[in-house]
Amino acid sequence: MTTNYLNDLNETQKQAVINYEGPALIIAGAGAGKTRVLTYRIVHLLQKEVPAGKILALTFTNKAAKEMKERITRIVNPEVARYLWMGTFHSIFAKILRMEGDKLGYKSNYTIYDSSDSKSLIRAIVKELNLDDNIYKTNVISSRISSAKNSLVTASMYSADSSMQEYDKSSRMPLLADIYKIYAARCFKANSMDFDDLLLNTNILFRDFPDVLSKYQEKFNYVLVDEYQDTNYSQYLIVKKLAASHKNICVVGDDAQSIYSFRGARIENILEFKNDYVDYQLYKLEQNYRSTQTIVNAANTIIANNEGQIHKKVFSMNEEGEKINVMQAMTDSEEGFNVSSDIFDKRFAQQLNWSDFAVLYRTNAQSRIFEETLRRKNIPYKIYGGLSFYERKEIKDILVYFRMVINPEDEEALKRSINYPKRGIGDTTVDKIFELAATLNVTPWSILPEAGKHPEHFNAGTAKKLSMYVDVIKALSLNSDTMDAFTKAREIAMGSGIMRELKEGKSPEEVSRYENLEELLNAIKEFTEAADTNGEPTTLESYMANVSLLTDRDTEKEEDRNKVTLMTMHSAKGLEFKHVYIVGMEDTLFPSPMSSGSARELEEERRLFYVAITRAEKQATLSYALNRYKWGQLERCSPSRFLKEIDQQFLVYPQTGGKPFKSNIHQGTKPSTFREEPQKYTKDDRLKKIINTVRPSDAVFCASDSSLFSEGDNVEHERFGKGLIISIEGQAPNTTATVEFEKSGSKKLLLRFAKLKKI
């Protein structure tokens, strides 16, 4: 073992590594090498002959623990490193509970329930109690129990707390305490723990058995914690107890990257470390090794607006780098086109890989437009940390209704739609339908209206439910061959009960599903308008023929490692890319409207922006749309207040030759508030002025020659009137133009049919 590893560190990093006695707080700015410092601090402890078994290192991901172990074993003897207690909170405490759980009544071979196991048990309990699962929703109950456990509230404590009982009554779930109690008892009886139990039971173990706590306090002379800003109360308390004896605790993190409060993370844990350990040492890692000077400086001006923080001045010694691009689009569709085009151009101009690019958004629903525009340019992409838009459950749920309306003989669509939303038609009944259909050699659909004729298979109540389902599908099928796709799709969303089902959800997951349904309807609206303009069929059947191509995953043959990454800003934490596009920079999207009532929540949104922009190594691009579809209607948007908070010297506006857009975000005027109702779409003044001042041509309306038109041309359409060509894409004879019309809004026209004339 040598000390050469210290030569890899700058002076501040080195001091954080070699001063290993006593409590230490290491504040590490984005890209400042915190993992290296934490790893080398452990190496240094081993160099000082601290036994590996005396060191406890806690991380949040298995990946982080694995990377640290690999780095350590490259420097020290692997036979020494193998005795380190290093891993995630859950894996380490699960190991302790294997050895000590008998004191709580568990056997050492207890099993761990994952999320699906837990939710399955909750569903069973709700069913056994004869409760309405439309009220007692599994995800809501699961989230409530998880929050209670992470706040160290056991089932018995929950039942005894009158405030919690009142909250549950107001939520129309007065029996939630009973569900929690039964759930805990069933887990215990099955000799099982869920993920939250691993933390809760460790706290109970240390609380009720002081000799066990003392044993592990003596065992772990040094405690190190990664990403300390992400710890919840339960994790914080365990760490504090373990370090209470020796006080050799080192925590590493960045308060500016605390973005997981919705998971229970408490930023106070890192901000108040100085109060828990008054004799602590503070080290600030302020040199960013990842990003250009411009990106780092811009990020500093963003986070400076937060009051609740440990102040630091992050800097970069890398090249100055290009300024941050700010892209303005007339509509959300144009935003998708702009971003995909920019990625396409940069990739080939700079000889980059597709994997060098990432598109970051605030909500999962925003991915749809970028998926579609990337597909059109044959740019490979992957959804990170989530499903493709069209693979999401709520999207599949509504698409199968579309399929049933078009073709009720579709067996797979029938299986998925027959009991969603809930109609009381169970799996046993569905099995009987398919069994009988096979026996009679008919389609399952034909069995449904005749169910009453088969009393040996279906009782009267079941036959009635099946008949009601048939009536729903038949009613939704009316005029489906003549009605436009958007009108019919919206009718199905409402008539099926799916829109109501999703709208009533209050959890973040349910709100996201509702937003995704809205985004799907926006896509269908765009399809309908484009098809109508181009003289193509606008029916739901035509739309489904189109969307089936978009969801065909077999067309992608590229390896996942060389694809453009699409992800939420939350998912991007810990990652880095050469080029990052942060999209949807509007006050109706980011910061989230849900943060409007709290300065604390607004500060977390700003930290999220800080995380997003510091993912970029070479260049960051910020994008927003002036108009965005909301439930099929274009509505006016205001640029995000966060754009105004960036020092303008670090920004550039490529669409205007580098000059700022004429927008209130650069004039110091107050941006629209979150609670303000969005304005209905009206024509942008700049566009209106251009259109009204051009001299009309005497040319007649005839089939358009695509070679005659360019972006920025003023044109006129016999139906939609005057407009401005925003973009042109595709090759003849399939060239399309996106035109912003003065009175009709944005239209996508197939030029060979559009009959445009220049003016």
Side-chain angles (χ1 to χ4, degrees):
M1 191 184 300
T2 68
T3 58
N4 290 342
Y5 59 89
L6 295 177
N7 296 333
D8 296 336
L9 306 172
N10 64 37
E11 186 58 32
T12 306
Q13 290 174 330
K14 182 178 178 181
Q15 292 302 313
V17 165
I18 64 177
N19 294 302
Y20 57 88
E21 296 291 344
L25 171 60
I26 301 176
I27 296 296
K34 71 174 180 61
T35 303
R36 171 175 290 185
V37 170
L38 191 60
T39 301
Y40 283 15
R41 188 175 172 107
I42 295 171
V43 169
H44 196 67
L45 286 170
L46 296 173
Q47 170 76 3
K48 294 299 180 180
E49 299 185 350
V50 174
K54 291 284 188 179
I55 302 171
L56 171 64
L58 297 168
T59 66
F60 271 86
T61 65
N62 289 312
K63 179 182 177 183
K66 181 181 178 182
E67 289 178 353
M68 288 172 61
K69 282 183 180 178
E70 289 175 349
R71 290 190 188 189
I72 291 170
T73 54
R74 285 198 293 266
I75 301 174
V76 305
N77 187 336
E79 283 302 308
V80 173
R82 66 189 291 261
Y83 293 102
L84 288 167
W85 280 63
M86 178 182 291
T88 65
F89 280 88
H90 291 91
S91 66
I92 293 295
F93 301 145
K95 185 177 179 180
I96 291 175
L97 288 168
R98 295 280 179 207
M99 296 181 287
E100 312 291 348
D102 62 307
K103 298 173 178 61
L104 300 178
Y106 289 91
K107 298 176 183 177
S108 61
N109 65 338
Y110 71 84
T111 55
I112 299 174
Y113 280 176
D114 63 16
S115 178
S116 61
D117 294 324
S118 299
K119 290 178 180 179
S120 178
L121 177 55
I122 289 170
R123 279 192 293 270
I125 294 170
V126 169
K127 184 177 181 180
E128 291 165 9
L129 294 176
N130 293 316
L131 300 175
D132 186 348
D133 56 10
N134 286 317
I135 296 175
Y136 287 87
K137 295 184 177 181
T138 303
N139 288 339
V140 175
I141 297 171
S142 176
S143 177
R144 185 79 168 146
I145 292 175
S146 177
S147 296
K149 289 183 177 182
N150 285 322
S151 298
L152 304 184
V153 177
T154 63
S156 57
M157 293 167 64
Y158 192 101
S159 298
D161 192 310
S162 59
S163 64
M164 291 185 179
Q165 306 310 306
E166 288 301 317
Y167 178 86
D168 290 341
K169 288 178 182 178
S170 67
S171 302
R172 299 170 61 210
M173 293 187 294
L175 296 181
L176 201 151
D178 293 342
I179 295 172
Y180 185 7
K181 187 178 293 185
I182 295 171
Y183 173 82
R186 293 273 284 273
C187 285
F188 182 77
K189 184 178 180 181
N191 193 36
S192 299
M193 302 184 202
D194 63 23
F195 287 125
D196 299 314
D197 282 330
L198 298 175
L199 302 178
L200 175 63
N201 286 333
T202 301
N203 269 295
I204 293 173
L205 180 69
F206 289 165
R207 181 196 69 189
D208 295 348
F209 298 90
D211 57 324
V212 175
L213 173 60
S214 178
K215 171 183 174 180
Y216 287 96
Q217 286 174 335
E218 290 305 312
K219 177 174 180 56
F220 300 127
N221 289 1
Y222 296 89
V223 178
L224 302 95
V225 185
D226 191 18
E227 303 286 9
Y228 192 63
Q229 77 281 348
D230 293 337
T231 53
N232 60 29
Y233 179 66
S234 184
Q235 292 162 327
Y236 158 80
L237 207 56
I238 294 171
V239 169
K240 187 176 181 182
K241 286 178 179 178
L242 287 174
S245 178
H246 293 284
K247 289 187 170 55
N248 291 323
I249 178 172
C250 172
V251 301
V252 182
D254 184 6
D255 56 293
Q257 297 186 65
S258 178
I259 59 174
Y260 295 127
S261 66
F262 63 94
R263 296 180 185 169
R266 299 172 72 248
I267 192 174
E268 294 84 2
N269 293 349
I270 195 166
L271 295 179
E272 297 174 4
F273 184 87
K274 60 184 179 183
N275 298 329
D276 291 332
Y277 307 95
V278 293
D279 58 340
Y280 82 112
Q281 295 172 301
L282 174 64
Y283 302 95
K284 295 182 180 181
L285 308 183
E286 297 174 306
Q287 182 172 353
N288 180 302
Y289 291 92
R290 174 190 303 150
S291 306
T292 65
Q293 295 179 35
T294 297
I295 292 171
V296 170
N297 292 337
N300 285 340
T301 67
I302 293 166
I303 205 64
N305 290 276
N306 273 10
E307 293 188 12
Q309 63 173 301
I310 299 173
H311 290 282
K312 57 186 176 297
K313 183 66 175 178
V314 181
F315 66 94
S316 172
M317 297 296 288
N318 296 336
E319 70 273 23
E320 181 180 353
E322 299 181 43
K323 291 187 177 183
I324 295 170
N325 287 336
V326 180
M327 297 172 64
Q328 175 181 281
M330 290 296 295
T331 65
D332 45 359
S333 295
E334 186 188 342
E335 180 184 41
F337 174 80
N338 289 346
V339 170
S340 60
S341 296
D342 201 55
I343 291 174
F344 187 89
D345 293 342
K346 280 191 171 69
R347 192 259 184 172
F348 288 103
Q350 301 178 26
Q351 296 297 300
L352 300 169
N353 295 317
W354 294 121
S355 56
D356 292 328
F357 299 90
V359 180
L360 310 184
Y361 35 76
R362 182 62 181 83
T363 67
N364 280 311
Q366 292 170 255
S367 74
R368 192 268 305 173
I369 285 174
F370 299 98
E371 288 187 66
E372 293 185 356
T373 54
L374 290 170
R375 281 181 185 272
R376 291 192 189 110
K377 291 184 175 295
N378 293 317
I379 298 176
Y381 69 88
K382 61 182 176 182
I383 304 289
Y384 187 96
L387 295 171
S388 171
F389 182 85
Y390 293 100
E391 291 295 315
R392 291 169 183 151
K393 178 186 180 301
E394 57 276 16
I395 302 303
K396 283 190 168 183
D397 286 338
I398 191 68
L399 290 180
V400 295
Y401 269 91
F402 295 173
R403 286 160 56 184
M404 286 300 295
V405 164
I406 295 167
N407 176 23
E409 309 298 333
D410 187 328
E411 294 185 5
E412 293 303 313
L414 187 149
K415 283 182 182 179
R416 190 175 183 115
S417 63
I418 195 169
N419 198 40
Y420 182 80
K422 297 288 187 181
R423 296 186 176 89
I425 302 173
D427 293 340
T428 301
T429 299
V430 174
D431 291 341
K432 288 180 179 178
I433 293 169
F434 279 78
E435 288 170 6
L436 185 57
T439 300
L440 299 177
N441 196 28
V442 296
T443 64
W445 171 256
S446 66
I447 294 292
L448 304 185
E450 305 293 329
K453 297 179 180 179
H454 302 280
E456 71 275 19
H457 293 285
F458 313 102
N459 60 37
T462 299
K464 183 178 180 180
K465 292 172 183 176
L466 295 176
S467 179
M468 291 173 64
Y469 168 69
V470 172
D471 291 341
V472 168
I473 298 300
K474 286 184 175 179
L476 295 176
S477 300
L478 294 174
N479 302 319
S480 62
D481 56 345
T482 57
M483 195 176 291
D484 73 82
F486 173 75
T487 305
K488 175 53 65 175
R490 186 175 176 84
E491 179 183 292
I492 294 173
M494 293 187 292
S496 64
I498 291 178
M499 183 179 288
R500 181 176 65 253
E501 172 89 2
L502 296 178
K503 189 174 184 180
E504 290 175 354
K506 301 301 180 185
S507 71
E509 181 181 1
E510 290 169 319
V511 170
S512 178
R513 287 178 177 175
Y514 185 68
E515 292 172 343
N516 288 338
L517 177 58
E518 173 193 353
E519 190 64 16
L520 177 68
L521 291 176
N522 290 342
I524 299 173
K525 179 70 171 182
E526 293 174 12
F527 165 83
T528 303
E529 291 181 343
D532 182 50
T533 301
N534 293 336
E536 299 169 351
T538 62
T539 61
L540 191 64
E541 184 174 357
S542 298
Y543 171 75
M544 288 302 293
N546 176 67
V547 80
S548 65
L549 297 175
L550 290 177
T551 58
D552 184 1
R553 305 179 82 177
D554 294 332
T555 58
E556 281 190 4
K557 301 298 183 182
E558 297 275 345
E559 292 295 326
D560 279 349
R561 61 178 175 269
N562 190 27
K563 294 182 179 181
V564 174
T565 300
L566 306 182
M567 64 171 68
T568 64
M569 299 177 202
H570 281 100
S571 299
K573 187 171 179 288
L575 302 176
E576 56 189 41
F577 304 89
K578 288 183 179 179
H579 293 268
V580 170
Y581 296 80
I582 304 173
V583 299
M585 292 292 300
E586 300 141 31
D587 263 349
T588 51
L589 278 176
F590 188 51
S592 168
M594 296 178 71
S595 69
S596 60
S598 167
R600 177 190 177 95
E601 292 175 353
L602 183 60
E603 289 208 347
E604 177 150 333
E605 289 288 293
R606 189 176 287 112
R607 292 196 293 271
L608 183 58
F609 185 28
Y610 176 85
V611 167
I613 206 166
T614 54
R615 298 310 94 197
E617 298 175 10
K618 298 296 184 183
Q619 189 172 42
T621 299
L622 310 178
S623 172
Y624 66 92
L626 293 174
N627 306 280
R628 188 171 292 273
Y629 270 104
K630 300 287 184 180
W631 296 104
Q633 295 292 322
L634 267 180
E635 294 185 353
R636 188 75 173 170
C637 302
S638 298
S640 171
R641 65 186 64 185
F642 291 159
L643 288 171
K644 179 184 173 184
E645 293 178 355
I646 304 176
D647 191 320
Q648 296 297 293
Q649 68 174 306
F650 303 122
L651 304 180
V652 68
Y653 305 80
Q655 293 157 295
T656 58
K659 298 179 181 178
F661 297 115
K662 294 183 178 179
S663 168
N664 62 1
I665 63 170
H666 308 299
Q667 304 304 321
T669 52
K670 182 180 178 182
S672 62
T673 63
F674 288 136
R675 300 190 183 280
E676 202 171 70
E677 286 296 320
Q679 304 171 31
K680 292 298 180 183
Y681 176 74
T682 56
K683 180 53 54 193
D684 177 78
D685 291 339
R686 176 181 62 85
L687 176 63
K688 190 172 183 178
K689 181 177 180 180
I690 293 173
I691 293 175
N692 287 340
T693 55
V694 295
R695 184 172 61 84
S697 167
D698 294 328
V700 296
F701 293 101
C702 57
S704 305
D705 180 351
S706 59
S707 65
L708 299 177
F709 297 95
S710 305
E711 293 180 9
D713 283 351
N714 298 294
V715 295
E716 187 173 1
H717 187 276
E718 60 184 340
R719 177 179 171 188
F720 301 123
K722 299 173 183 177
L724 177 71
I725 295 180
I726 301 299
S727 63
I728 293 178
E729 57 184 297
Q731 301 295 322
N734 297 315
T735 308
T736 61
T738 299
V739 184
E740 201 70 36
F741 289 101
E742 179 182 1
K743 297 180 179 179
S744 305
S746 179
K747 304 287 182 183
K748 181 166 286 189
L749 310 178
L750 192 60
L751 284 177
R752 71 176 188 268
F753 296 132
K755 296 184 179 180
L756 290 175
K757 66 178 181 181
K758 279 190 178 183
I759 55 175

